[in-house]
Amino acid sequence: MRELAAQGLDGAVRLVAPRMASDAELALFHTPAYVDFVQRRSVRGDGFLDGGDTPAFKGVFEAAGSVVGATLVAVEALMSGAAARAFVPIAGLHHAARAGAAGFCVFSDCGVAVESLRRDYGVRRIAYVDIDAHHGDGMFYAFEEDGDLVFADIHEDGRDLYPGTGARSESGRGAAVGTKLNLPLAPGADDAAFLSAWAEVEAHLARFPSDFILFQCGADSLAGDPITHLRFTEAAHAHAARRLCAIADAQGHGRVLGMGGGGYNRRNLARAWTAVVGAFLAAAPVSR
Ligand SMILES: [Zn+2]
């Protein structure tokens, strides 16, 4: 928020309050047994929700449910036409699976958003684009056989970084083969490497047009992140945001929902996410 204000952008955005997601909404993506499990562990408030990455704490259910609720508020704003683009900094928890927590992610707001778009709005073909340093494994495997979830993910090679997945050969299963694009980059990859991978993302999105774009813009792919090894600058994030707006407009719907994702260097978070919001504001939407 301070960076947004420093760049004079705070007056150009409308802030919207989040809400808690309902159990039924969480169960659009997650198994009821897992939703129950988080609720129980949230009362007890100790230990881990997975093998040791994702801690349980008192109120974790409400905290994680509010992230999902915030993303659903953004979906509602875009689908009602109240907003042309939306950005939810806390969102983009792309490691959570349908039946389990992983990598600091309790509930998958991105997964619930996809299921809600389908059930509540009849939006079938949805694009999910992810430039967080980590592979979006929770989203990839949940929709691996779903040809209507168009997936494109630029990330640090899984041989060098958690979660270890996202090889180029992983392109979807069954009828969905080819709808998933995984682009692992070597440690140290910079903006030039990003831009060349990005051209492939654009070709992929052109091959599989969609009616809504989810954009997980993790800031941990910037140089200086303490737990990853990519070396992008915020110009990568701005470029992706700008191009996704242009693509969404060209596809006739204009809907881009940005989700903050990871990032463990706070200065980088401020830079990357403000660059995304700035690009959203600069890319004037087509009138709908
Ligand atoms: Zn990450």
Side-chain angles (χ1 to χ4, degrees), residues 94-95 132-134 216 218 220 228 261-264:
H94 62 170
H95 296 306
D132 187 285
H134 302 94
Q216 204 273 23
D220 51 10
T228 74
Y264 307 94

Short mmCIF file of all heavy atoms in Angstrom, two decimals, residues 94-95 132-134 216 218 220 228 261-264, ligand 1:
data_model
loop_
_atom_site.label_atom_id
_atom_site.label_comp_id
_atom_site.label_asym_id
_atom_site.label_seq_id
_atom_site.Cartn_x
_atom_site.Cartn_y
_atom_site.Cartn_z
N HIS A 94 -1.21 -21.37 -4.71
CA HIS A 94 -1.23 -22.36 -5.79
C HIS A 94 -0.70 -23.75 -5.45
O HIS A 94 -0.67 -24.61 -6.32
CB HIS A 94 -0.49 -21.81 -7.02
CG HIS A 94 0.96 -21.50 -6.78
ND1 HIS A 94 1.84 -21.18 -7.80
CD2 HIS A 94 1.70 -21.48 -5.63
CE1 HIS A 94 3.05 -20.96 -7.29
NE2 HIS A 94 2.99 -21.13 -5.99
N HIS A 95 -0.24 -23.96 -4.22
CA HIS A 95 0.27 -25.30 -3.87
C HIS A 95 -0.80 -26.18 -3.21
O HIS A 95 -0.66 -27.40 -3.20
CB HIS A 95 1.47 -25.20 -2.93
CG HIS A 95 2.66 -24.54 -3.55
ND1 HIS A 95 3.22 -24.95 -4.74
CD2 HIS A 95 3.42 -23.48 -3.14
CE1 HIS A 95 4.26 -24.18 -5.04
NE2 HIS A 95 4.39 -23.28 -4.09
N ASP A 132 5.02 -17.13 -10.66
CA ASP A 132 5.69 -17.35 -9.37
C ASP A 132 6.91 -18.24 -9.62
O ASP A 132 6.91 -19.05 -10.55
CB ASP A 132 4.68 -18.05 -8.45
CG ASP A 132 5.13 -18.21 -7.01
OD1 ASP A 132 5.99 -19.07 -6.74
OD2 ASP A 132 4.58 -17.50 -6.14
N ALA A 133 7.95 -18.09 -8.81
CA ALA A 133 9.16 -18.91 -9.02
C ALA A 133 8.88 -20.40 -8.86
O ALA A 133 9.57 -21.23 -9.44
CB ALA A 133 10.26 -18.49 -8.04
N HIS A 134 7.87 -20.72 -8.05
CA HIS A 134 7.54 -22.13 -7.82
C HIS A 134 6.47 -22.63 -8.79
O HIS A 134 5.57 -21.87 -9.16
CB HIS A 134 7.04 -22.32 -6.38
CG HIS A 134 8.02 -21.88 -5.34
ND1 HIS A 134 7.99 -20.61 -4.78
CD2 HIS A 134 9.06 -22.52 -4.76
CE1 HIS A 134 8.97 -20.51 -3.90
NE2 HIS A 134 9.64 -21.64 -3.87
N GLN A 216 -1.40 -15.54 -11.56
CA GLN A 216 -0.69 -15.67 -10.29
C GLN A 216 0.69 -15.04 -10.51
O GLN A 216 1.52 -15.59 -11.23
CB GLN A 216 -0.60 -17.15 -9.90
CG GLN A 216 -0.42 -17.41 -8.41
CD GLN A 216 1.03 -17.39 -7.96
OE1 GLN A 216 1.89 -16.80 -8.60
NE2 GLN A 216 1.30 -18.03 -6.84
N GLY A 218 3.42 -14.23 -8.52
CA GLY A 218 4.34 -14.35 -7.39
C GLY A 218 5.59 -13.48 -7.57
O GLY A 218 6.19 -13.46 -8.63
N ASP A 220 8.32 -13.89 -5.88
CA ASP A 220 9.54 -14.61 -5.52
C ASP A 220 10.39 -14.98 -6.74
O ASP A 220 11.45 -15.58 -6.60
CB ASP A 220 9.23 -15.85 -4.67
CG ASP A 220 8.17 -16.75 -5.27
OD1 ASP A 220 7.79 -16.53 -6.43
OD2 ASP A 220 7.71 -17.67 -4.55
N THR A 228 14.51 -18.46 -3.52
CA THR A 228 14.50 -18.94 -4.91
C THR A 228 15.73 -18.39 -5.64
O THR A 228 16.52 -17.64 -5.04
CB THR A 228 13.26 -18.46 -5.67
OG1 THR A 228 13.41 -17.07 -5.97
CG2 THR A 228 11.99 -18.65 -4.84
N GLY A 261 0.38 -14.23 -4.94
CA GLY A 261 1.26 -15.39 -4.88
C GLY A 261 2.37 -15.22 -3.86
O GLY A 261 2.24 -14.46 -2.89
N GLY A 262 3.49 -15.91 -4.09
CA GLY A 262 4.57 -15.92 -3.11
C GLY A 262 5.47 -14.71 -3.20
O GLY A 262 5.28 -13.80 -4.02
N GLY A 263 6.51 -14.70 -2.35
CA GLY A 263 7.45 -13.58 -2.32
C GLY A 263 7.96 -13.40 -0.90
O GLY A 263 7.16 -13.19 -0.01
N TYR A 264 9.27 -13.49 -0.72
CA TYR A 264 9.83 -13.54 0.63
C TYR A 264 10.83 -12.41 0.86
O TYR A 264 11.60 -12.44 1.81
CB TYR A 264 10.40 -14.97 0.86
CG TYR A 264 9.31 -15.96 0.54
CD1 TYR A 264 9.21 -16.54 -0.73
CD2 TYR A 264 8.27 -16.18 1.45
CE1 TYR A 264 8.14 -17.36 -1.07
CE2 TYR A 264 7.20 -16.99 1.12
CZ TYR A 264 7.13 -17.57 -0.14
OH TYR A 264 6.06 -18.35 -0.47
ZN ZN B 1 6.50 -19.19 -4.87
#
